Amino acid sequence: MSRWMARFAMGLCVGALTLASSAGAQAPQGTAPAAASPPGAPTHEQTQPLDVSVRVDPQQVRIGDPFTYHVVLTHPKDHRYELAVPKETGDFEFLDQTRQRQDGAESATTTFAVRMSAFALGTVQVPALAFDVATPEGPRQYSLPGRQIEVTSTLPPEAEGQGADLFDIQPPQEVPIRSWRLVLALLGALAAGLLAWALLRWWKNRPKHVYVPPPQPLDVRTRKALDTLKAENLPARGRVKDHYFRLSEIVRGYLGERYGFEALECTSSELMSSLRRLAPPNLPEDKLMRFVSESDMVKYARADASPESCRDALLFGYELVDKTYVPPQPIQAPDNAAAPRVQ
């Protein structure tokens, strides 16, 4: 019985020691976050690039003129740098920025070109630039201190000795205009000159009444064309193909104007179909068909034609005009028309 009591007392002691140790271990865990996040800590941790290069172009600038602030950052490839546009720039004005990135084998280079203008004379400090950095561990920040730049006046060096100085911007002032008479007079003279020039141009280019004689009858014009072709004697000069081309155009032009259809635009089959549909009297259809076929063979199939064939084809043109042309009848007055009065 005493042995059992001893074991029970030993178990109570071990349990008490275990509870005490567990309570001591949990107490630091509850207080650690408060020590890790003190009040006023920054939102993102700071980071540093591998290399930084800064250049101001130009080093000396006149007041109000823009200059370029070049920043070259070399950083790990898995980092991305973005410029946070400054809100307060003091004596500087932020104009615009450009960003370029180039990846290498083990690192990357990001180049920023920031255009600014300064409005304070002397050696001034460019505002610090803040960059937002995206990393695999989370967002970080990087702050680049500003460099110095020399800002000069827009006046020449001898201006101060001569009494010249910068003046403040003056308010708008009214500029009186005495009269519009001179302007209106000039506009009137310009308008009169333009009107005279237009009238002179119209007078020179006016349509002139030129007497145009009435066209000759169709049969006369066609025979003249055949006479001209005959006088050229193309077959004797080895130009049989040109002879048939010219003769075919004369015959087709005559048929088209005589019967009122586009004979020059028709194929050979369309030409014959149109004439059969019109059924003109006295038309030598067989000879015309033979002439059309012979012309196509010479013009398109490079067939040869004897001088006798060329002469017969030309004679067919005269024969076609003689058989088919009917001179227009003069308009006759009706029988009951009043006779002309003789004074």
Side-chain angles (χ1 to χ4, degrees), residues 3-326:
R3 184 179 298 176
W4 181 84
M5 292 294 295
R7 291 180 178 178
F8 179 75
M10 186 178 296
L12 290 177
C13 293
V14 172
L17 291 174
T18 303
L19 291 175
S21 61
S22 64
Q26 292 177 359
Q29 294 179 0
T31 59
S37 302
T43 306
H44 301 305
E45 298 181 5
Q46 295 290 323
T47 186
Q48 290 290 332
L50 301 178
D51 188 25
V52 180
S53 175
V54 180
R55 179 171 56 90
V56 181
D57 186 24
Q59 289 286 345
Q60 188 180 57
V61 65
R62 294 188 304 179
I63 186 170
D65 289 349
F67 64 92
T68 305
Y69 195 54
H70 298 274
V71 180
V72 181
L73 303 176
T74 304
H75 53 84
K77 292 178 64 174
D78 55 357
H79 289 195
R80 178 179 177 85
Y81 280 72
E82 295 287 350
L83 176 63
V85 179
K87 297 181 179 179
E88 298 293 336
T89 56
D91 295 330
F92 291 83
E93 181 181 1
F94 182 85
L95 301 177
D96 55 41
Q97 63 155 327
T98 58
R99 176 185 179 277
Q100 294 181 351
R101 176 182 172 126
Q102 185 176 4
D103 292 343
E106 298 180 356
S107 62
T109 301
T110 303
T111 304
F112 294 90
V114 184
R115 291 181 69 250
M116 300 182 181
S117 56
F119 295 93
L121 297 176
T123 302
V124 293
Q125 187 83 10
V126 178
L129 300 180
F131 297 88
D132 295 330
V133 187
T135 67
E137 295 81 12
R140 298 289 188 271
Q141 287 185 346
Y142 170 65
S143 179
L144 176 65
R147 301 299 193 271
Q148 290 183 348
I149 185 173
E150 183 72 20
V151 182
T152 61
S153 174
T154 56
L155 296 175
E158 64 275 6
E160 186 176 357
Q162 297 177 358
D165 199 359
L166 291 175
F167 295 96
D168 196 3
I169 299 176
Q170 298 293 326
Q173 297 182 1
E174 183 179 358
V175 179
I177 299 178
R178 296 181 178 276
S179 175
W180 289 92
R181 294 180 180 178
L182 179 60
V183 177
L184 295 177
L186 292 176
L187 292 177
L190 179 61
L194 290 176
L195 181 59
W197 176 81
L199 290 175
L200 180 61
R201 186 180 180 87
W202 172 83
W203 178 259
K204 289 183 178 181
N205 298 331
R206 73 187 187 281
K208 310 231 179 1
H209 298 284
V210 179
Y211 172 75
V212 179
Q216 294 179 337
L218 176 60
D219 62 329
V220 176
R221 288 184 279 117
T222 305
R223 288 191 179 93
K224 282 187 176 182
L226 293 173
D227 293 340
T228 303
L229 181 60
K230 181 179 179 181
E232 293 181 5
N233 197 13
L234 296 178
R237 295 155 56 188
R239 299 172 57 185
V240 176
K241 187 176 180 179
D242 294 341
H243 174 79
Y244 273 92
F245 262 110
R246 294 270 300 278
L247 182 58
S248 178
E249 289 183 355
I250 295 172
V251 172
R252 285 172 173 264
Y254 168 77
L255 292 173
E257 187 174 350
R258 174 67 179 85
Y259 299 110
F261 69 101
E262 293 291 338
L264 292 174
E265 303 297 332
C266 293
T267 61
S268 298
S269 59
E270 292 174 348
L271 176 67
M272 299 306 300
S273 298
S274 300
L275 291 173
R276 291 190 186 100
R277 185 171 59 254
L278 294 172
N282 301 328
L283 178 68
E285 184 176 343
D286 295 338
K287 290 185 178 181
L288 179 60
M289 175 65 76
R290 191 180 308 112
F291 167 76
V292 171
S293 301
E294 183 179 352
S295 299
D296 291 343
M297 292 295 294
V298 175
K299 291 189 298 183
Y300 306 114
R302 298 183 179 179
D304 195 9
S306 63
E308 291 77 12
S309 300
C310 296
R311 184 187 64 250
D312 294 342
L314 184 62
L315 292 176
F316 170 74
Y318 288 103
E319 180 184 355
L320 179 65
V321 176
D322 294 337
K323 289 186 176 182
T324 58
Y325 183 75
V326 178

